[in-house]
């Protein structure tokens, strides 16, 4: 019998993969997913992406840090999700 994955949502796995490379705002995550062609195999919209980011944060896989002023792309102020590598759960993801 196959063991169950700890994170079974394909969008959540893609988010964790990209956040392991660098912290990104959900808007930036969306753009990155589209640029890499992930939208062909993972159907998502902004609402589902924000929902997955929230679920991953509540589960302890990622954390969000508040930015001061505008982001580097000068468009999105606010909180930037990052992989919770400092926690055991984030490191295992």
């Amino acid at each position: 019998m196959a063991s169950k994955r700890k994170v079974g949502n394909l969008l959540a796995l893609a988010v964790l993969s990209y956040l392991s490379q660098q912290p990104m705002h959900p808007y930036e995550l969306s753009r990155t997913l589209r640029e890499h062609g992930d939208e062909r195999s993972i159907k998502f919209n902004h609402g589902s992406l924000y929902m997955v980011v929230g679920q991953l944060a509540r589960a302890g896989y990622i954390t969000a840090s508040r930015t001061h002023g505008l982001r580097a792309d000068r468009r999105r102020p606010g909180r930037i999700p990052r992989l919770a590598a400092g926690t055991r759960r984030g490191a295992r993801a």
Side-chain angles (χ1 to χ4, degrees), residues 35 55 67 86:
E35 286 174 355
Q55 290 172 344
T67 59

Side-chain angles (χ1 to χ4, degrees), residues 3-91:
S3 64
K4 188 174 180 180
R5 290 188 303 216
K6 298 196 185 300
V7 178
N9 181 325
L10 291 179
L11 180 56
L13 292 172
V15 166
L16 287 173
S17 173
Y18 287 117
L19 289 179
S20 70
Q21 297 170 15
Q22 70 178 19
M24 292 186 224
H25 187 276
Y27 177 83
E28 191 177 359
L29 276 167
S30 175
R31 188 178 65 216
T32 302
L33 286 162
R34 292 183 201 292
E35 286 174 355
H36 290 126
D38 294 322
E39 67 181 332
R40 288 177 289 173
S41 57
I42 304 170
K43 303 298 180 199
F44 69 94
N45 58 37
H46 289 294
S48 62
L49 181 60
Y50 276 84
M51 183 181 71
V52 163
V53 166
Q55 290 172 344
L56 290 171
R58 281 191 299 280
Y61 287 105
I62 62 175
T63 60
S65 62
R66 185 167 299 282
T67 59
H68 299 285
L70 294 175
R71 292 263 305 129
D73 64 6
R74 304 281 185 226
R75 292 184 220 157
R76 299 284 175 192
R79 301 173 69 82
I80 308 300
R82 61 181 71 235
L83 188 66
T87 66
R88 295 175 89 182
R89 178 170 282 184

